[in-house]
Each structure stands twice: as structure tokens, then as C-alpha cells.
Amino acid sequence: MKHLVALCALLIPPVLAEAGEPIATGDLGLVVERASGSVLIIDRSDHGAVGRVEGLGDLSHASLTYSPDERFAYVFGRDGGLSKVDMLQQEAVARTVQAGNSIGGAISDDGKLVAVSNYEPGGVKVFDADTLNLVADIPAAGKTIGLVDIPGRRFVWTVWDTGEVFLGDFSGEAPVITALGNAGANPFDAVVTDDAHTYLVGLFGEKGVTAFDLWAEKPGPRKFLTDYGKTGEDMPVYKMPHLQGWAFTEGQYALPAVGRHELLWVDRESLKQVAATPVHGQPVFVIAQPASPFVWVNFATPLNDTVQVVDSRSHEVVATLTPGKAILHMEFAPRGAEVWISSRDDNKVLIYDTRRREKVAEIDAQAPSGIFFTARAHQPGL
Amino acid sequence: MKHLVALCALLIPPVLAEAGEPIATGDLGLVVERASGSVLIIDRSDHGAVGRVEGLGDLSHASLTYSPDERFAYVFGRDGGLSKVDMLQQEAVARTVQAGNSIGGAISDDGKLVAVSNYEPGGVKVFDADTLNLVADIPAAGKTIGLVDIPGRRFVWTVWDTGEVFLGDFSGEAPVITALGNAGANPFDAVVTDDAHTYLVGLFGEKGVTAFDLWAEKPGPRKFLTDYGKTGEDMPVYKMPHLQGWAFTEGQYALPAVGRHELLWVDRESLKQVAATPVHGQPVFVIAQPASPFVWVNFATPLNDTVQVVDSRSHEVVATLTPGKAILHMEFAPRGAEVWISSRDDNKVLIYDTRRREKVAEIDAQAPSGIFFTARAHQPGL
């Protein structure tokens, strides 16, 4: 394995490092290499890897967010490490181990603040995006999950242990923290819609999902899907689904049913379930293909060699692909022409044309998991 | 005036030209300087201008689109000129005068093709995005308007003289052109929704708007708003509204009423009018503030010193601003924190904080009109 790593490093041409030739950042991205604590810098236009940054700690459950200029990535590691990666210089320019165990983070709408939600200890820490100096330390009565940015230098997060949801406003001299109410028993993840209108909290300790209208004067909890699965027997949950993958399409939410081989479709206005789609396994990510009626779904182990495409109008599976071994994540080109798929156990990132649904290229990567294009810098809630 | 121009040029620090320091492109943008045939390169994070590219011909009615890497802009001039501007090197790297009079253009979802819609002669020309070599020349029975990109290397456009709508597929060896049907009398502009689902055509020769469902097997025309304005007397139209500004928010379209001091709200599903908002003047651009319930509106001469903010839930005007003289365009930071406003007759671009709706900075520019941030590179239909 060590030889392979060394070989891979040699094979990557140091394109960005060449003197004189300026590089634009709009089509770059990062692939989390979960076993080696590194990120691979990818170029979407060239279908290639252009560099690697190492030494980022435990990335076995990592995510990241981008600065507004699409130059810097803030990488949130499982070990509480927060690293600032410069994609042009191909190096970590700042790093802090800010907690014992963390779960993710977000950047403020103006790019000035980076917030991290922590397990050990719980709470939220907020850092200056430039220096990574600590700006605010907000304690919580447990593990924090579902941290998202909303406009006006604000963040929303949820506490796993108590079900409480908080809104933090960091636009003034001192943070102002407001309790929005209780989401329910053991919220496992949360997400905000792309218009920053609705904060959706998935529950594990009870059935259902809780919505908060963030445009309301006083946002409060509104529970839905409280009946789902009551008639069937639950299966063991092999992998908790990720709600950042929740698709919002055709006036609906497409949700992964926890512990079941099903997608659930909910009307965005009424919050009533409108359909269920039987799928290949327990869904992990349900992601809308941009500018299309389709969502793409991957699955929990041991059924994770498969990806399915579902039409949001008919709610039917229209394609079943088996791209490779241990499909962990998918990321679309922002206008939807391609989807990049990480196949962990093949050590490859696979690039599919979304119109023909055929592979057009592949890139070597070490146990790849999350794929993140810089276009995320411009999307509220990512 | 000449002295002022020379002075402005001197005042702009050549930041990008400095050797050694790499520049990211995610927060750059261009401001069209309509009188001088130039574009000003702006840096969103720094609230500043960083360069100027001149010699782009007649930009009195210009628009532009970006390459996927956010490095190159394709500038469509009124005189039929198509220029490729390199924002990192700060120069025009290719230019062709491809028609006698043109109205706008679009880039394919994969960034490989640039299409231009022309008045003189009519039709659509398609160019290689790299070299600007002509790839296809599609004639039409008149002036083409409302050219947009849709996924799969395809474009849709409309013919002013005949009302015909066409879909061109450029993914194969030879272009395949399909007639989608007739939109109605004298379509003046068209736009595609951000999910590439619906192509909306505004009519000038008759009342109404025509929608085409681009996800359908055989898209066809569906007319709506055919009654609007029938009870009132029309005023002279001082400026045709731009439909690329049509806002899509809260399940509605917010449309400028041609020739009237009104915004019209239409339910996205039923295509029924749900409300009308009396506003300060004849609306030109109606643009949704990202991640918010608000749309911002500017107005035709002589009432063009004013901008209004309307809440898409109540349909009421919630703020009226008078930022400057001859407000021609507004562009939002992609996560919605700021709006940049061009004030042509003040020779300024004004930067407003969207939460407090207060001016936070301004930039000198020569008779600025359109403002375009590179984030557009990642948005289908722009």
C-alpha cells in the first residue's frame, strides 16, 4: 500500500505549481481520501487530478466548505481538526485541532466566519475564516449536528441529546443565540433548503422529520412523516443517511427512509407524503441532478455497489448502474452535464455523462469518499 | 470626460498582473461600461476594481457568459462582436465580429460551445468556446431572441418575426434542430427556469406569456396571463423589460408587466395569476435575492433612480431605495449577502448589504450597465 501511495504521488503532474501560468479556480474540486488523511485536488475540465495535500488528520468522516473566491477549503475532520487548504499553492495554510471529535461545519454567507459542530465536547465553535483564530465558543447540552449557514452571518444547529434547535447570529459585536424549539427525539442530521427557507431535521429516536420555517418571525417546529414505516418492520440501519443529500425537486423533498429500502416523496408545501419508491437498498445520499427531473441514489453496505436514478415526476427508478465497489458519494457538475462518483474499494473516482449515463473517464484516488467541487462556494447552505 | 477616463485607468491597481501571487477567480466579476466599449474587472471580496479590458466594440446593449473555470468571459456586443476576455491576464484573447447586430448568447452545459442569437441577419451561430471558430450556422426566418442553454449541449431560441421556438441539439456530429411550436405574436424575450424545466416566452404583439415544458417528450406551447392589462390603458413602453431578471420564488414567477407600473405573480404549477403588486414605475429587472423571500426591482426611464424590494409572500413593497441616477442593473452575491447596483449617470457601482439594505461601499465605473459575477458559470440558463 505504501508503494502504491508513493506511486500515485509521482503520477500526479504538478500542474498548478508551474511558474507563470495562472490557474482559475471555478472548475477545481477536492476528493477526501479517507484512509490517508489527504485530499486530492481535481480539475473538472481536464478530468484529472492536479495535486494532493496531506497531513489533515483523521478524515474517516470528513466534509468541507469553500471560501467565496473558491481558493481555500475548510476541511472538517472526525478528530476535531479544522484545516484550511490553499488549492492554488497546494498546501494546508492553517490548521487547528479544535475539539476531540467533530461532525461538520459551515461558512458564513459573507465568507468571514467558519463554524464547526462538535461531539466531544458538544457545542459550536466559530473561527475567523482568514486566520482560524477562535471568535466564539457556544456550549451545548450535548452533541451538535446539522450545522448550516443562513444569510446575515447566521448559523442554525441542533443538539442530538436534547432535540433543541438554535439560531446563532454573529453579525454584531457579540453572538446572539436564540432557541427555536424542540425538533424531537435524537435528531441525527439536518439540512436547509437551497432558498434558506426551511430547516429540516431528521429524527432517529422517533419516527418523522421536523421542519422549521426560517423566514417566519418566530420559527417553530412542524413535524411530518410521523407515520412512515409504522406498518413494516424496520431493518438494522447499516449507515445513517446523510441529509445534505436531500433532493429538492418538482416541489417535493426526496428523502431517504431510515433503515428501509425506500425513498419517500413529500410535498414541499403541505409536508404530506405523496409517494414512496422501492429502491435497491438503504439510501445514503439522494441528490438531485441539476437542471433535470432526476435524483441519484447510493446505498448502505453491503449493497453499496449500485447507484439508481429516479424520476421525480413518476417516482420510478429509470436506471440502475453498478459503477464499482463501495460507492460512497456523488457530486454533479454544477450545470448537470456530469456526475463524479467515488468508488472507495476500487481506489477510483468515476466520471459519468448524465445524459447517456455512461462512464467517460476515471481518476485514481486513495479510498475516496466525499467529492466537493468549488461551485459549492456559491450555494447557500453548502 | 477623456481626462476622467484616463484618470480612472490610472487609479486601478494592476493587482492581477503582479507576478508570483496566484489569484482565484470565484469572486471576480465584470461590469459592462456601455459607452466606452470596455469591461471593468471587479473583485467581490475586496469591494474593488482590479483591471479593465478595452476595445470590445459597441457595448450599448451587451451581455456575457462565463467559462466553467470562471476564467474567461464571452462578451456579446450589440454590433455583432463576440469577444473572449481572459480575466487573469486582463485581455481579450479572441474576438470575432460574427453578425451585423446581435442580442445575446449562451454557453453549453459542458462549456465547449458558445451560441449567439442575431438580429442582422437572423439566426443562431455556434462557436468553439476555445478558439471562437464557427462550428454551426443555423438560419432563421427573422431575428432570434431568448437564446438559452439547456443540458446535453443543447440550446433553445425563439424567432421574433414568426413566433417559432426551436431546440438545437449540438451533442452529435451534426446539429439536430427541432421546432417546438409557436409562442405567439412578436416574442420580445424568453428565459429558462433554473431547473431547465420551463422555457417562458414574453409576447409583445399580443397579451400573454407562453410556457414550454422542456422535460416533456414533445414540448409544446401553453399560453397564460392572456388577460392581463385588458381592463387598464397601456402606457408607452419606455424600456422593454428583461426576462432574464424574472424571479422564481415561493412557487411563483414574478414578472414585469410590460408598459405598466406593476409586478405580476403567477403560480408556477397552475400558471394562474395570484397577485399583482403596484410599483414605482415600469419594471425592467425583477431579480430574486438568493436565500430570501425578496425580489428587487428597477425601473425604466424616467423613473430609474429607484429600486424597490417586494416580499414574495405578501406581494407587498417592503422597501423603496433611491441609490443613484439611472439604475440599470443589479447583481447579487451568490449567497445573497450583498447586491451590486450600477448607477450609470453617477459613474458608480454601489454595493448594498441586503440585510440592512444600506450602502457599504462604491466603485468608480464608466457609465456602468450590466454586472456579472463569475458565479453565473455554475448556473444553468445563465
Side-chain angles (χ1 to χ4, degrees):
Chain A
M1 185 63 195
K2 262 194 182 158
H3 290 96
L4 182 65
V5 173
L7 187 65
C8 286
L10 282 173
L11 287 174
I12 295 170
V15 172
L16 298 196
E18 269 171 30
E21 175 63 5
I23 299 289
T25 50
D27 58 350
L28 298 182
L30 292 173
V31 178
V32 172
E33 297 183 310
R34 50 179 290 133
S36 47
S38 54
V39 290
L40 190 67
I41 306 175
I42 49 178
D43 184 309
R44 192 155 51 78
S45 306
D46 293 346
H47 287 171
V50 293
R52 176 175 281 129
V53 177
E54 298 178 313
L56 304 181
D58 180 358
L59 299 187
S60 64
H61 191 280
S63 69
L64 59 88
T65 191
Y66 286 106
S67 63
D69 63 357
E70 300 185 331
R71 174 172 175 172
F72 299 102
Y74 300 92
V75 183
F76 311 102
R78 166 144 260 174
D79 57 1
L82 167 62
S83 307
K84 180 177 179 178
V85 170
D86 180 341
M87 293 197 294
L88 287 178
Q89 306 281 21
Q90 303 201 356
E91 61 186 4
V93 290
R95 181 167 158 79
T96 173
V97 178
Q98 52 85 43
N101 190 323
S102 76
I103 189 66
I107 190 164
S108 61
D109 62 340
D110 61 356
K112 302 295 185 198
L113 301 174
V114 173
V116 190
S117 60
N118 289 321
Y119 271 12
E120 291 276 338
V124 171
K125 283 188 178 170
V126 180
F127 299 88
D128 180 298
D130 194 25
T131 60
L132 295 194
N133 289 338
L134 186 68
V135 173
D137 188 353
I138 315 295
K143 299 171 179 173
T144 51
I145 59 104
L147 175 70
V148 301
D149 65 285
I150 64 167
R153 221 183 253 191
R154 297 178 300 166
F155 298 99
V156 177
W157 62 87
T158 298
V159 181
W160 157 270
D161 309 69
T162 65
E164 292 169 295
V165 176
F166 294 97
L167 189 156
D169 184 335
F170 298 88
S171 64
E173 296 251 325
V176 177
I177 313 297
T178 308
L180 299 187
N182 201 292
N186 294 137
F188 67 94
D189 199 4
V191 70
V192 67
T193 54
D194 50 5
D195 54 4
H197 190 168
T198 310
Y199 184 67
L200 295 158
V201 187
L203 302 176
F204 188 68
E206 61 182 295
K207 293 288 183 196
V209 179
T210 305
F212 290 77
D213 177 355
L214 298 180
W215 292 358
E217 199 76 35
K218 286 185 186 296
R222 186 175 162 207
K223 226 169 261 190
F224 63 101
L225 276 185
T226 47
D227 283 335
Y228 95 81
K230 275 199 176 149
T231 54
E233 189 145 342
D234 278 6
M235 291 170 283
V237 178
Y238 290 108
K239 164 128 187 68
M240 291 297 262
H242 280 273
L243 297 192
Q244 201 171 80
W246 278 10
F248 312 118
T249 183
E250 274 289 273
Q252 305 164 94
Y253 305 129
L255 299 106
V258 178
R260 299 168 64 85
H261 292 196
E262 241 178 15
L263 287 196
L264 305 175
W265 300 85
V266 173
D267 180 86
R268 202 164 164 158
E269 288 300 310
S270 69
L271 298 182
K272 301 275 184 231
Q273 184 178 335
V274 292
T277 303
V279 289
H280 174 76
Q282 295 184 2
V284 177
F285 283 102
V286 183
I287 306 181
Q289 175 186 327
S292 89
F294 304 113
V295 301
W296 292 54
V297 190
N298 71 336
F299 302 100
T301 182
L303 298 170
N304 59 0
D305 66 338
T306 295
V307 167
Q308 288 187 310
V309 184
V310 185
D311 190 317
S312 61
R313 298 164 297 179
S314 65
H315 308 112
E316 281 176 14
V317 173
V318 294
T320 298
L321 313 174
T322 48
K325 284 183 266 179
I327 304 302
L328 295 195
H329 194 225
M330 301 167 287
E331 175 89 335
F332 287 92
R335 286 181 187 237
E338 292 176 348
V339 60
W340 290 42
I341 299 173
S342 54
S343 177
R344 183 193 61 200
D345 295 351
D346 288 325
N347 293 299
K348 300 255 188 224
V349 171
L350 313 167
I351 304 169
Y352 274 67
D353 173 279
T354 53
R355 193 167 176 200
R356 292 175 295 123
R357 298 187 189 120
E358 286 170 8
K359 191 169 75 174
V360 292
E362 58 180 47
I363 297 173
D364 291 330
Q366 300 162 27
S369 58
I371 306 172
F372 302 85
F373 290 134
T374 53
R376 288 172 174 251
H378 302 325
Q379 296 177 303
L382 301 183
Chain B
M1 186 62 194
K2 260 192 182 160
H3 289 98
L4 182 66
V5 173
L7 186 66
C8 287
L10 282 173
L11 288 173
I12 297 169
V15 172
L16 299 194
E18 268 170 33
E21 175 64 7
I23 300 290
T25 50
D27 58 350
L28 297 183
L30 291 174
V31 178
V32 172
E33 298 182 309
R34 49 179 291 134
S36 48
S38 55
V39 290
L40 190 69
I41 306 175
I42 48 178
D43 184 309
R44 193 155 50 79
S45 306
D46 293 346
H47 287 169
V50 293
R52 175 175 282 129
V53 177
E54 298 178 314
L56 304 181
D58 179 359
L59 299 188
S60 64
H61 191 280
S63 69
L64 58 88
T65 191
Y66 287 105
S67 64
D69 63 357
E70 300 184 330
R71 173 172 176 175
F72 300 102
Y74 301 92
V75 183
F76 310 102
R78 166 145 260 176
D79 57 0
L82 166 61
S83 307
K84 181 177 178 179
V85 170
D86 181 340
M87 292 195 295
L88 287 178
Q89 307 282 21
Q90 304 202 355
E91 60 186 4
V93 290
R95 179 166 159 80
T96 173
V97 177
Q98 53 85 43
N101 189 324
S102 76
I103 189 67
I107 190 163
S108 61
D109 63 340
D110 61 356
K112 302 296 187 199
L113 300 174
V114 173
V116 190
S117 60
N118 289 320
Y119 270 14
E120 293 272 342
V124 170
K125 282 188 178 171
V126 180
F127 299 88
D128 180 297
D130 194 24
T131 61
L132 295 195
N133 290 337
L134 186 69
V135 173
D137 187 353
I138 314 295
K143 298 170 178 172
T144 51
I145 59 104
L147 175 69
V148 301
D149 65 284
I150 64 168
R153 220 183 254 191
R154 296 178 299 165
F155 298 99
V156 178
W157 62 87
T158 297
V159 182
W160 157 272
D161 309 71
T162 64
E164 292 169 297
V165 176
F166 294 96
L167 189 157
D169 184 335
F170 298 87
S171 64
E173 296 251 324
V176 178
I177 313 297
T178 308
L180 300 187
N182 201 292
N186 294 137
F188 67 94
D189 199 4
V191 69
V192 67
T193 55
D194 51 5
D195 55 4
H197 190 169
T198 310
Y199 183 66
L200 294 158
V201 187
L203 303 176
F204 188 69
E206 62 181 293
K207 292 289 182 196
V209 178
T210 305
F212 289 78
D213 177 355
L214 299 179
W215 292 358
E217 199 75 35
K218 285 186 188 296
R222 187 176 162 207
K223 226 169 261 191
F224 64 101
L225 275 187
T226 48
D227 283 335
Y228 95 80
K230 275 200 177 147
T231 53
E233 190 145 340
D234 278 8
M235 291 169 282
V237 177
Y238 290 107
K239 165 130 186 68
M240 290 297 262
H242 279 272
L243 296 191
Q244 201 170 80
W246 279 10
F248 313 117
T249 182
E250 276 288 274
Q252 305 164 92
Y253 304 130
L255 299 106
V258 178
R260 298 168 64 84
H261 292 197
E262 241 179 15
L263 286 197
L264 305 175
W265 300 86
V266 173
D267 181 87
R268 204 166 162 155
E269 288 301 309
S270 69
L271 297 183
K272 300 275 186 232
Q273 185 179 333
V274 292
T277 303
V279 289
H280 173 76
Q282 296 184 1
V284 176
F285 283 102
V286 183
I287 307 181
Q289 175 185 328
S292 89
F294 305 113
V295 301
W296 293 52
V297 190
N298 71 336
F299 302 99
T301 182
L303 298 169
N304 60 0
D305 66 337
T306 296
V307 166
Q308 288 188 309
V309 184
V310 185
D311 189 316
S312 60
R313 298 164 295 180
S314 65
H315 308 113
E316 280 176 13
V317 173
V318 295
T320 299
L321 313 174
T322 47
K325 284 183 268 178
I327 303 302
L328 295 196
H329 195 226
M330 300 167 288
E331 176 88 335
F332 287 92
R335 286 181 188 238
E338 293 176 348
V339 60
W340 291 41
I341 299 173
S342 55
S343 177
R344 184 194 60 199
D345 294 352
D346 288 325
N347 292 301
K348 299 252 188 229
V349 171
L350 313 167
I351 305 169
Y352 274 67
D353 172 279
T354 52
R355 192 165 177 204
R356 294 176 293 125
R357 300 187 188 121
E358 286 170 8
K359 191 169 75 175
V360 291
E362 59 180 46
I363 297 173
D364 290 331
Q366 300 162 26
S369 57
I371 305 172
F372 302 85
F373 290 134
T374 53
R376 287 171 174 252
H378 302 325
Q379 295 178 302
L382 300 184

